[in-house]
Every structure is written in structure tokens, then in C-alpha cells.
Short mmCIF file of all heavy atoms in Angstrom, two decimals:
data_model
loop_
_atom_site.label_atom_id
_atom_site.label_comp_id
_atom_site.label_asym_id
_atom_site.label_seq_id
_atom_site.Cartn_x
_atom_site.Cartn_y
_atom_site.Cartn_z
N THR A 129 13.90 8.50 -1.24
CA THR A 129 13.73 9.88 -0.90
C THR A 129 13.85 9.99 0.62
O THR A 129 13.25 9.19 1.39
CB THR A 129 12.31 10.44 -1.31
OG1 THR A 129 12.19 10.37 -2.70
CG2 THR A 129 12.06 11.80 -0.80
N LYS A 130 14.63 10.95 1.07
CA LYS A 130 14.80 11.13 2.56
C LYS A 130 13.76 12.11 3.04
O LYS A 130 13.52 13.15 2.43
CB LYS A 130 16.27 11.71 2.83
CG LYS A 130 17.33 10.73 2.49
CD LYS A 130 18.68 11.32 2.77
CE LYS A 130 19.73 10.29 2.33
NZ LYS A 130 21.09 10.85 2.51
N LEU A 131 13.16 11.76 4.18
CA LEU A 131 12.04 12.55 4.73
C LEU A 131 12.28 12.80 6.21
O LEU A 131 12.77 11.95 6.93
CB LEU A 131 10.72 11.84 4.55
CG LEU A 131 10.24 11.54 3.13
CD1 LEU A 131 9.13 10.57 3.14
CD2 LEU A 131 9.87 12.81 2.44
N LYS A 132 11.82 13.97 6.71
CA LYS A 132 11.65 14.20 8.12
C LYS A 132 10.24 13.76 8.45
O LYS A 132 9.30 14.08 7.72
CB LYS A 132 11.84 15.64 8.44
CG LYS A 132 11.68 15.92 9.94
CD LYS A 132 11.87 17.44 10.25
CE LYS A 132 11.54 17.71 11.65
NZ LYS A 132 11.54 19.15 11.92
N ILE A 133 10.06 13.01 9.53
CA ILE A 133 8.80 12.40 9.89
C ILE A 133 8.39 12.97 11.30
O ILE A 133 9.19 12.92 12.22
CB ILE A 133 8.88 10.90 9.93
CG1 ILE A 133 9.25 10.36 8.55
CG2 ILE A 133 7.56 10.26 10.43
CD1 ILE A 133 9.67 8.90 8.54
N ILE A 134 7.12 13.36 11.39
CA ILE A 134 6.59 13.73 12.69
C ILE A 134 5.32 12.89 12.89
O ILE A 134 4.38 12.88 12.09
CB ILE A 134 6.22 15.21 12.74
CG1 ILE A 134 7.43 16.06 12.52
CG2 ILE A 134 5.58 15.53 14.11
CD1 ILE A 134 7.16 17.53 12.33
N LEU A 135 5.37 12.06 13.94
CA LEU A 135 4.23 11.16 14.28
C LEU A 135 3.66 11.58 15.62
O LEU A 135 4.39 12.03 16.50
CB LEU A 135 4.78 9.73 14.46
CG LEU A 135 4.91 8.79 13.33
CD1 LEU A 135 5.81 7.59 13.72
CD2 LEU A 135 3.60 8.31 12.91
N LEU A 136 2.30 11.43 15.73
CA LEU A 136 1.67 11.65 17.02
C LEU A 136 1.16 10.34 17.53
O LEU A 136 0.27 9.70 16.91
CB LEU A 136 0.52 12.65 16.85
CG LEU A 136 0.93 14.07 16.44
CD1 LEU A 136 -0.30 14.96 16.24
CD2 LEU A 136 1.85 14.67 17.47
N ILE A 137 1.70 9.88 18.64
CA ILE A 137 1.37 8.59 19.25
C ILE A 137 0.51 8.80 20.48
O ILE A 137 0.96 9.45 21.42
CB ILE A 137 2.66 7.82 19.62
CG1 ILE A 137 3.60 7.69 18.46
CG2 ILE A 137 2.30 6.46 20.24
CD1 ILE A 137 3.17 6.81 17.32
N PRO A 138 -0.72 8.25 20.52
CA PRO A 138 -1.54 8.37 21.71
C PRO A 138 -1.07 7.42 22.81
O PRO A 138 -0.84 6.27 22.57
CB PRO A 138 -2.93 8.01 21.18
CG PRO A 138 -2.70 7.14 20.01
CD PRO A 138 -1.38 7.50 19.41
N LEU A 139 -0.96 8.01 23.97
CA LEU A 139 -0.55 7.20 25.14
C LEU A 139 -1.45 7.53 26.36
O LEU A 139 -2.14 8.51 26.34
CB LEU A 139 0.90 7.58 25.55
CG LEU A 139 1.98 7.33 24.51
CD1 LEU A 139 3.27 7.96 25.03
CD2 LEU A 139 2.11 5.86 24.20
N ARG A 140 -1.40 6.67 27.33
CA ARG A 140 -2.07 6.89 28.57
C ARG A 140 -1.06 7.20 29.61
O ARG A 140 -0.10 6.48 29.78
CB ARG A 140 -2.89 5.69 29.03
CG ARG A 140 -4.24 5.54 28.35
CD ARG A 140 -5.15 4.89 29.38
NE ARG A 140 -6.57 4.88 29.06
CZ ARG A 140 -7.38 5.94 29.00
NH1 ARG A 140 -6.85 7.14 29.18
NH2 ARG A 140 -8.65 5.86 28.78
N LYS A 141 -1.26 8.30 30.35
CA LYS A 141 -0.37 8.67 31.44
C LYS A 141 -1.15 9.21 32.64
O LYS A 141 -1.96 10.11 32.45
CB LYS A 141 0.61 9.72 30.95
CG LYS A 141 1.74 10.02 31.96
CD LYS A 141 2.77 10.93 31.32
CE LYS A 141 3.91 11.06 32.30
NZ LYS A 141 5.04 11.88 31.68
N ASN A 142 -1.03 8.54 33.77
CA ASN A 142 -1.88 8.92 34.91
C ASN A 142 -3.37 8.95 34.62
O ASN A 142 -4.01 9.90 34.95
CB ASN A 142 -1.39 10.25 35.52
CG ASN A 142 0.11 10.20 35.92
OD1 ASN A 142 0.54 9.18 36.37
ND2 ASN A 142 0.75 11.32 35.76
N ASN A 143 -3.81 7.93 33.93
CA ASN A 143 -5.24 7.81 33.55
C ASN A 143 -5.70 8.84 32.60
O ASN A 143 -6.89 9.12 32.50
CB ASN A 143 -6.13 7.70 34.75
CG ASN A 143 -6.52 6.27 35.11
OD1 ASN A 143 -6.27 5.40 34.31
ND2 ASN A 143 -7.09 6.17 36.26
N ARG A 144 -4.86 9.58 31.95
CA ARG A 144 -5.21 10.58 30.93
C ARG A 144 -4.63 10.24 29.60
O ARG A 144 -3.52 9.63 29.55
CB ARG A 144 -4.61 11.97 31.33
CG ARG A 144 -5.26 12.57 32.52
CD ARG A 144 -4.73 13.96 32.78
NE ARG A 144 -3.77 14.41 31.72
CZ ARG A 144 -2.92 15.39 31.82
NH1 ARG A 144 -2.89 16.10 32.90
NH2 ARG A 144 -2.13 15.65 30.81
N LYS A 145 -5.29 10.56 28.56
CA LYS A 145 -4.83 10.38 27.19
C LYS A 145 -3.97 11.54 26.82
O LYS A 145 -4.34 12.72 27.02
CB LYS A 145 -5.95 10.23 26.24
CG LYS A 145 -6.69 8.93 26.24
CD LYS A 145 -7.73 8.88 25.16
CE LYS A 145 -8.47 7.59 25.20
NZ LYS A 145 -9.48 7.48 24.13
N ILE A 146 -2.76 11.27 26.34
CA ILE A 146 -1.85 12.29 25.86
C ILE A 146 -1.33 11.91 24.45
O ILE A 146 -1.39 10.74 24.13
CB ILE A 146 -0.68 12.54 26.83
CG1 ILE A 146 0.17 11.28 26.94
CG2 ILE A 146 -1.16 13.06 28.18
CD1 ILE A 146 1.52 11.55 27.61
N LEU A 147 -0.82 12.88 23.74
CA LEU A 147 -0.17 12.62 22.49
C LEU A 147 1.33 12.82 22.60
O LEU A 147 1.71 13.88 23.09
CB LEU A 147 -0.73 13.50 21.37
CG LEU A 147 -2.17 13.22 20.88
CD1 LEU A 147 -2.57 14.26 19.89
CD2 LEU A 147 -2.22 11.83 20.27
N ARG A 148 2.05 11.85 22.21
CA ARG A 148 3.54 11.98 22.28
C ARG A 148 4.03 12.22 20.82
O ARG A 148 3.69 11.50 19.89
CB ARG A 148 4.18 10.69 22.78
CG ARG A 148 5.67 10.61 22.69
CD ARG A 148 6.34 11.37 23.81
NE ARG A 148 7.76 11.32 23.61
CZ ARG A 148 8.58 10.40 24.14
NH1 ARG A 148 8.09 9.49 24.93
NH2 ARG A 148 9.86 10.42 23.94
N LYS A 149 4.73 13.30 20.71
CA LYS A 149 5.27 13.71 19.35
C LYS A 149 6.65 13.06 19.15
O LYS A 149 7.52 13.16 19.97
CB LYS A 149 5.40 15.22 19.30
CG LYS A 149 5.92 15.70 17.99
CD LYS A 149 6.02 17.26 18.00
CE LYS A 149 6.62 17.84 16.77
NZ LYS A 149 6.66 19.30 16.87
N ILE A 150 6.69 12.26 18.06
CA ILE A 150 7.94 11.57 17.71
C ILE A 150 8.46 12.19 16.40
O ILE A 150 7.74 12.26 15.42
CB ILE A 150 7.71 10.04 17.47
CG1 ILE A 150 7.05 9.36 18.64
CG2 ILE A 150 8.96 9.37 16.98
CD1 ILE A 150 7.92 8.99 19.75
N THR A 151 9.69 12.63 16.41
CA THR A 151 10.34 13.19 15.23
C THR A 151 11.55 12.35 14.91
O THR A 151 12.38 12.03 15.77
CB THR A 151 10.83 14.69 15.50
OG1 THR A 151 9.66 15.46 15.89
CG2 THR A 151 11.43 15.31 14.25
N CYS A 152 11.56 11.92 13.62
CA CYS A 152 12.67 11.04 13.25
C CYS A 152 12.86 11.26 11.69
O CYS A 152 12.22 12.08 11.07
CB CYS A 152 12.38 9.57 13.46
SG CYS A 152 10.93 8.91 12.71
N ASN A 153 13.80 10.49 11.14
CA ASN A 153 14.04 10.55 9.69
C ASN A 153 13.74 9.23 9.05
O ASN A 153 13.92 8.17 9.71
CB ASN A 153 15.49 10.95 9.37
CG ASN A 153 15.82 12.41 9.82
OD1 ASN A 153 15.02 13.31 9.57
ND2 ASN A 153 16.95 12.60 10.44
N GLY A 154 13.28 9.22 7.84
CA GLY A 154 12.99 8.07 7.13
C GLY A 154 13.33 8.09 5.70
O GLY A 154 13.63 9.13 5.18
N ILE A 155 13.24 6.89 5.05
CA ILE A 155 13.54 6.76 3.63
C ILE A 155 12.48 5.97 2.95
O ILE A 155 11.98 4.99 3.52
CB ILE A 155 14.89 5.96 3.40
CG1 ILE A 155 16.06 6.76 3.97
CG2 ILE A 155 15.10 5.71 1.93
CD1 ILE A 155 17.38 5.97 3.97
N VAL A 156 11.97 6.48 1.79
CA VAL A 156 10.90 5.81 1.05
C VAL A 156 11.51 4.50 0.48
O VAL A 156 12.53 4.53 -0.23
CB VAL A 156 10.35 6.69 -0.11
CG1 VAL A 156 9.37 5.88 -0.95
CG2 VAL A 156 9.74 7.94 0.44
N VAL A 157 10.94 3.37 0.86
CA VAL A 157 11.47 2.09 0.39
C VAL A 157 10.50 1.38 -0.53
O VAL A 157 10.86 0.37 -1.25
CB VAL A 157 11.85 1.16 1.57
CG1 VAL A 157 13.02 1.72 2.32
CG2 VAL A 157 10.69 0.90 2.48
N ARG A 158 9.22 1.81 -0.60
CA ARG A 158 8.19 1.18 -1.44
C ARG A 158 7.16 2.23 -1.77
O ARG A 158 6.79 3.01 -0.93
CB ARG A 158 7.66 0.02 -0.74
CG ARG A 158 6.73 -0.82 -1.52
CD ARG A 158 6.37 -2.07 -0.72
NE ARG A 158 6.55 -2.00 0.71
CZ ARG A 158 5.67 -2.38 1.61
NH1 ARG A 158 4.53 -2.94 1.19
NH2 ARG A 158 5.88 -2.28 2.88
N GLN A 159 6.62 2.13 -3.01
CA GLN A 159 5.47 2.98 -3.36
C GLN A 159 4.70 2.35 -4.45
O GLN A 159 5.29 1.82 -5.42
CB GLN A 159 5.97 4.39 -3.73
CG GLN A 159 4.74 5.37 -3.79
CD GLN A 159 5.21 6.82 -3.90
OE1 GLN A 159 5.90 7.16 -4.75
NE2 GLN A 159 4.73 7.61 -2.94
N ALA A 160 3.35 2.38 -4.34
CA ALA A 160 2.43 1.79 -5.33
C ALA A 160 1.34 2.75 -5.59
O ALA A 160 0.74 3.27 -4.60
CB ALA A 160 1.96 0.42 -4.86
N TYR A 161 0.94 2.92 -6.81
CA TYR A 161 -0.18 3.80 -7.21
C TYR A 161 -1.41 2.99 -7.02
O TYR A 161 -1.58 1.92 -7.52
CB TYR A 161 -0.01 4.19 -8.63
CG TYR A 161 -0.96 5.30 -9.13
CD1 TYR A 161 -0.97 6.49 -8.48
CD2 TYR A 161 -1.80 5.05 -10.23
CE1 TYR A 161 -1.88 7.52 -8.95
CE2 TYR A 161 -2.62 6.08 -10.69
CZ TYR A 161 -2.65 7.27 -10.06
OH TYR A 161 -3.53 8.26 -10.49
N MET A 162 -2.37 3.49 -6.15
CA MET A 162 -3.51 2.73 -5.71
C MET A 162 -4.77 3.61 -5.86
O MET A 162 -4.72 4.81 -5.74
CB MET A 162 -3.37 2.27 -4.25
CG MET A 162 -2.16 1.48 -3.96
SD MET A 162 -2.09 -0.11 -4.76
CE MET A 162 -3.38 -0.96 -3.84
N LYS A 163 -5.87 2.89 -5.96
CA LYS A 163 -7.18 3.54 -5.83
C LYS A 163 -7.76 3.21 -4.48
O LYS A 163 -8.00 2.09 -4.11
CB LYS A 163 -8.17 3.02 -6.91
CG LYS A 163 -9.47 3.77 -6.95
CD LYS A 163 -10.30 3.35 -8.16
CE LYS A 163 -11.58 4.14 -8.23
NZ LYS A 163 -12.41 3.79 -9.36
N ASN A 164 -7.94 4.31 -3.67
CA ASN A 164 -8.46 4.12 -2.30
C ASN A 164 -9.73 4.99 -2.15
O ASN A 164 -9.68 6.17 -2.35
CB ASN A 164 -7.42 4.60 -1.25
CG ASN A 164 -6.20 3.74 -1.20
OD1 ASN A 164 -6.29 2.52 -1.28
ND2 ASN A 164 -5.03 4.34 -1.09
N ASN A 165 -10.84 4.32 -1.88
CA ASN A 165 -12.11 5.04 -1.62
C ASN A 165 -12.43 5.95 -2.79
O ASN A 165 -12.85 7.09 -2.59
CB ASN A 165 -12.09 5.84 -0.34
CG ASN A 165 -11.91 4.93 0.88
OD1 ASN A 165 -12.40 3.83 0.91
ND2 ASN A 165 -11.18 5.40 1.89
N GLY A 166 -12.21 5.49 -4.01
CA GLY A 166 -12.54 6.27 -5.21
C GLY A 166 -11.54 7.33 -5.64
O GLY A 166 -11.69 7.98 -6.60
N LYS A 167 -10.47 7.51 -4.80
CA LYS A 167 -9.47 8.46 -5.11
C LYS A 167 -8.10 7.72 -5.35
O LYS A 167 -7.87 6.71 -4.75
CB LYS A 167 -9.28 9.44 -3.96
CG LYS A 167 -10.50 10.32 -3.72
CD LYS A 167 -10.19 11.23 -2.55
CE LYS A 167 -11.41 12.11 -2.30
NZ LYS A 167 -11.18 13.02 -1.20
N TYR A 168 -7.32 8.29 -6.19
CA TYR A 168 -6.00 7.69 -6.43
C TYR A 168 -4.96 8.32 -5.49
O TYR A 168 -4.92 9.50 -5.25
CB TYR A 168 -5.59 7.88 -7.89
CG TYR A 168 -6.34 6.98 -8.81
CD1 TYR A 168 -7.58 7.38 -9.41
CD2 TYR A 168 -5.99 5.59 -9.00
CE1 TYR A 168 -8.30 6.55 -10.19
CE2 TYR A 168 -6.69 4.78 -9.81
CZ TYR A 168 -7.85 5.27 -10.43
OH TYR A 168 -8.53 4.41 -11.18
N SER A 169 -4.07 7.48 -4.99
CA SER A 169 -3.02 7.92 -4.10
C SER A 169 -1.83 6.95 -4.21
O SER A 169 -1.91 5.96 -4.93
CB SER A 169 -3.50 7.99 -2.67
OG SER A 169 -3.80 6.72 -2.18
N TYR A 170 -0.83 7.22 -3.52
CA TYR A 170 0.42 6.38 -3.55
C TYR A 170 0.56 5.74 -2.17
O TYR A 170 0.81 6.51 -1.21
CB TYR A 170 1.61 7.20 -3.89
CG TYR A 170 1.61 7.77 -5.26
CD1 TYR A 170 1.07 9.02 -5.58
CD2 TYR A 170 2.19 7.05 -6.36
CE1 TYR A 170 1.06 9.54 -6.86
CE2 TYR A 170 2.14 7.55 -7.66
CZ TYR A 170 1.62 8.82 -7.87
OH TYR A 170 1.59 9.32 -9.16
N ASP A 171 0.40 4.45 -2.09
CA ASP A 171 0.67 3.76 -0.85
C ASP A 171 2.16 3.67 -0.70
O ASP A 171 2.86 3.17 -1.59
CB ASP A 171 0.04 2.35 -0.86
CG ASP A 171 -1.45 2.39 -0.62
OD1 ASP A 171 -1.99 3.49 -0.37
OD2 ASP A 171 -2.09 1.36 -0.58
N THR A 172 2.67 4.15 0.44
CA THR A 172 4.08 4.38 0.52
C THR A 172 4.65 3.78 1.84
O THR A 172 4.13 3.93 2.90
CB THR A 172 4.38 5.93 0.56
OG1 THR A 172 3.78 6.50 -0.59
CG2 THR A 172 5.86 6.22 0.63
N GLY A 173 5.71 2.96 1.68
CA GLY A 173 6.43 2.40 2.79
C GLY A 173 7.67 3.17 3.14
O GLY A 173 8.41 3.53 2.23
N ILE A 174 7.78 3.55 4.38
CA ILE A 174 8.90 4.37 4.85
C ILE A 174 9.64 3.69 5.94
O ILE A 174 8.99 3.31 6.98
CB ILE A 174 8.38 5.78 5.25
CG1 ILE A 174 7.64 6.45 4.16
CG2 ILE A 174 9.54 6.62 5.79
CD1 ILE A 174 6.85 7.66 4.53
#
């Protein structure tokens, strides 16, 4: 599955914390049905 991805990466610039927005495209390469903290979800590699 092809996806548009938006990531927020925390960085330090001039002694201040900032968030850098990264936009890219990705493809689902792995997925497993998992139980996490009592809830079911799909652990997904992109």
C-alpha cells in the first residue's frame, strides 16, 4: 500500500526545541496483528 507520510522530528536549534515536519512517501512492507496494552492493532513496517 502506498502512503503519504508526515513525520514530526524534534530538533534543537539555537538552544530551542523545534519540530521539523518531514513529508515523504512510503510503502507498507510488513504488518502483523498484535495485542498492545490490551488493545488489538496492526504493527506496520513502512
Side-chain angles (χ1 to χ4, degrees):
T129 297
K130 294 178 182 179
L131 300 167
K132 178 180 174 186
I133 300 166
I134 301 169
L135 273 165
L136 295 177
I137 306 291
L139 300 172
R140 278 213 169 291
K141 189 171 186 176
N142 299 327
N143 260 349
R144 290 184 3 195
K145 287 184 180 180
I146 62 168
L147 287 176
R148 171 81 183 268
K149 183 179 175 181
I150 305 278
T151 302
C152 62
N153 293 317
I155 297 174
V156 175
V157 293
R158 184 171 25 133
Q159 193 166 58
Y161 190 57
M162 305 293 289
K163 185 175 184 178
N164 293 319
N165 297 324
K167 296 180 181 179
Y168 287 93
S169 64
Y170 295 90
D171 282 0
T172 305
I174 302 167

